[in-house]
Amino acid sequence: MRMTVIGTGYVGTVHAACMAGIGHDVLGVDIDAERVAALAAGRAPLHEKGLDALLARGTAAGRLRFTTSLTEAARFADLHFVCVGTPQRPDGDGADLRFVDAVVEGLGPRLRPGALVVGKSTVPVGTAARIRRRLTDLAPGTEVAWNPEFLREGAAVHDTMRPERLVLGVSSPRAETLLRAAYGPLLRRGVPVFTTDPATAELVKVASNAFLATKISFVNAMAEVCDAAGADVTLLARAMGADTRIGPRFLDPGLGFGGSCFPKDIRAFAARAEELGAGPAVAFLHEVDRINTRQRRRTVDRARALLGGGFAGRRVGVLGAAFKPGSDDVRDSPALAVAAAVAAEGGAVRVHDPQALDNARAAYPDLTYALDVPKACEDADLVLHLTQWPEYRALSPAALVPLVRTPTVLDARNCLDGRVWGAAGWAFHALGGPAAGGAS
Ligand SMILES: NC(=O)c1ccc[n+]([C@@H]2O[C@H](COP(=O)([O-])OP(=O)(O)OC[C@H]3O[C@@H](n4cnc5c(N)ncnc54)[C@H](O)[C@@H]3O)[C@@H](O)[C@H]2O)c1
């Protein structure tokens, strides 16, 4: 099938490469000419496992091209996936839909009758209906569907090729047939499909993110109670997670969530519910957000306490800049927020990350960066573990001891092996461990 993918960021690049990978003819579209040129030359603008190979294969086979022209897009295909960003509005909590609207205004008048516009961007419920009304004027005889994206950064190619489910929010059997044909090779692998109306599809996405964010903030709230009570939240989470009704995933106490999705999606959800008169139903999301933000402060407070009350003149090695492992995305990264807060209080911070250093430098040019872990830890009075890269779990703590000034580490992601670090001579502290107790 021929299809376009409009917006070639994290979602669009992966979607375009995977659709070409399963045999479709794909035209990727972006307003960022530099990005389009890089993609056309086979260079991914982001780090995702397996993406480079898929891009190379798609472009070499002639099944994957890129352009900046919506006119070319409208002529190329009658199936258009919209993957542009929907960030938080600069003036409030709601979603900024200007990129989605720009696509509708730019593509609409050029669409051929029968074209299907499929939103993948995460949007407030009601957006598909609003776009459909607009396209009734701009492009009679076209249709709108919503097919939210659930990929996880860091596993984006895997999640696109083997999704846990597909949600097809459609208004006609024809739209469903087209989407089932587009995903045919995946469906033959047995991927479950949920066919809904567009509004329900929009809501499945935000409700799922809201649920996961709530689970993370729940366990972090328990961490605060454990701190106050002298209990161990790591053990508590493990014991809770053993209950199959609860499950262990997303129940890791620590620095909390960040990135370009959860924070803005829960805010936009609460704002949209408010507009619909259902604000009280999801008012708890404000608390979920507050708990999450508080974890960054808790980490800084804990680090300051470990240094005896202040950062001024102290060296702090920071392990991690990406908002999560497997990705080079630093948007709303908890790790960088903590590093910047420590630097703002006079700490001499040196940040390492296996993949995200370029993006981190662009976002926080005033921080100092290190190309390897030893350099980040050199002469450190404290090492902060802030992104749970497997590389950091594989470190030899004994090899780092001679490099640092004081072998003290704070594991804000609760995933390093405290016994191994302790045995190597480190004073090991975890955000999930007892605040005053030292080794945990
Ligand atoms: N990143 C994720 O993990 C993820 C997962 C699921 C859903 N989503 C949702 O998917 C959407 C895209 O997210 P992302 O992280 O890929 O965003 P992104 O910011 O990485 O990419 C958006 C791209 O759209 C392009 N763009 C903007 N306006 C355009 C226009 N008028 N025409 C063509 N291109 C245009 C931008 O140049 C950019 O390359 C968002 O709604 C997001 O919430 C993201």
Side-chain angles (χ1 to χ4, degrees), residues 122-365:
T122 305
V123 291
V125 58
T127 303
R130 184 170 64 75
I131 292 174
R132 194 185 61 228
R133 285 196 295 276
R134 182 67 184 134
L135 286 183
T136 306
D137 292 336
L138 291 176
T142 62
E143 248 193 272
V144 178
W146 223 265
N147 165 222
E149 180 55 64
F150 298 100
L151 65 77
R152 297 161 302 166
E153 284 187 27
V157 170
H158 171 274
D159 290 353
T160 305
M161 291 302 211
R162 297 183 180 279
E164 288 181 334
R165 83 296 214 185
L166 285 170
V167 176
L168 310 180
V170 294
S171 311
S172 77
R174 178 178 165 271
E176 181 179 356
T177 304
L178 274 172
L179 281 170
R180 281 182 177 271
Y183 288 116
L186 308 186
L187 301 187
R188 284 192 283 281
R189 291 175 189 161
V191 173
V193 175
F194 296 87
T195 303
T196 70
D197 55 277
T200 303
E202 291 167 327
L203 272 174
V204 173
K205 174 64 192 176
V206 289
S208 299
N209 276 2
F211 186 84
L212 294 172
T214 302
K215 204 171 172 194
I216 296 170
S217 276
F218 182 89
V219 79
N220 282 333
M222 293 308 104
E224 294 182 35
V225 176
C226 283
D227 266 4
D232 185 331
V233 73
T234 310
L235 292 176
L236 173 133
R238 238 180 265 155
M240 276 180 69
D243 183 331
T244 51
R245 293 168 304 175
I246 296 172
R249 294 178 70 190
F250 282 70
L251 209 60
D252 302 311
L255 182 47
F257 57 81
S260 68
C261 290
F262 282 7
K264 62 109 175 152
D265 286 351
I266 60 171
R267 289 170 201 152
F269 190 13
R272 181 63 181 141
E274 198 69 51
E275 282 170 11
L276 292 169
V282 292
F284 68 92
L285 290 177
H286 295 298
E287 197 54 42
V288 167
D289 198 6
R290 275 193 290 270
I291 292 167
N292 188 58
T293 309
R294 212 154 57 221
Q295 304 319 305
R296 302 174 185 195
R297 222 169 38 238
R298 274 181 79 220
T299 304
V300 175
D301 289 348
R302 190 78 186 277
R304 193 190 304 102
L306 287 172
L307 287 173
F311 292 109
R314 313 301 292 276
R315 281 187 184 277
V316 180
V318 168
L319 303 184
F323 86 97
K324 67 186 283 196
S327 171
D328 61 351
D329 198 344
V330 301
R331 291 179 285 186
D332 197 4
S333 163
L336 284 176
V338 167
V342 171
E345 289 190 36
V349 167
R350 219 177 281 152
V351 182
H352 172 264
D353 191 280
Q355 293 292 344
L357 282 188
D358 289 346
N359 287 341
R361 260 195 209 97
Y364 288 85

Side-chain angles (χ1 to χ4, degrees), residues 11-195:
V11 168
T13 300
V14 173
H15 190 64
C18 290
M19 288 295 107
I22 58 174
H24 297 306
D25 287 320
V26 183
L27 182 64
V29 189
D30 207 289
I31 43 170
D32 182 339
E34 225 171 276
R35 173 167 290 226
V36 165
L39 283 164
R43 285 197 309 277
L46 51 110
H47 170 76
E48 277 295 334
K49 193 163 170 243
L51 182 59
D52 287 337
L54 266 181
L55 273 180
R57 231 182 306 143
T59 43
R63 281 200 307 272
L64 181 57
R65 293 191 301 112
F66 295 91
T67 182
T68 54
S69 164
L70 282 176
T71 305
E72 191 183 342
R75 279 202 206 111
F76 180 79
D78 290 323
L79 176 58
H80 305 279
F81 287 101
V82 179
C83 304
V84 296
T86 49
Q88 186 174 335
R89 293 170 63 99
D91 60 349
D93 278 358
D96 184 348
L97 293 176
R98 84 176 94 150
F99 303 110
V100 174
D101 289 340
V103 172
V104 172
E105 296 302 319
L107 188 67
R110 299 173 168 88
L111 286 173
R112 299 186 293 218
L116 177 64
V117 175
V118 183
K120 287 194 82 60
S121 303
T122 305
V123 291
V125 58
T127 303
R130 184 170 64 75
I131 292 174
R132 194 185 61 228
R133 285 196 295 276
R134 182 67 184 134
L135 286 183
T136 306
D137 292 336
L138 291 176
T142 62
E143 248 193 272
V144 178
W146 223 265
N147 165 222
E149 180 55 64
F150 298 100
L151 65 77
R152 297 161 302 166
E153 284 187 27
V157 170
H158 171 274
D159 290 353
T160 305
M161 291 302 211
R162 297 183 180 279
E164 288 181 334
R165 83 296 214 185
L166 285 170
V167 176
L168 310 180
V170 294
S171 311
S172 77
R174 178 178 165 271
E176 181 179 356
T177 304
L178 274 172
L179 281 170
R180 281 182 177 271
Y183 288 116
L186 308 186
L187 301 187
R188 284 192 283 281
R189 291 175 189 161
V191 173
V193 175
F194 296 87
T195 303

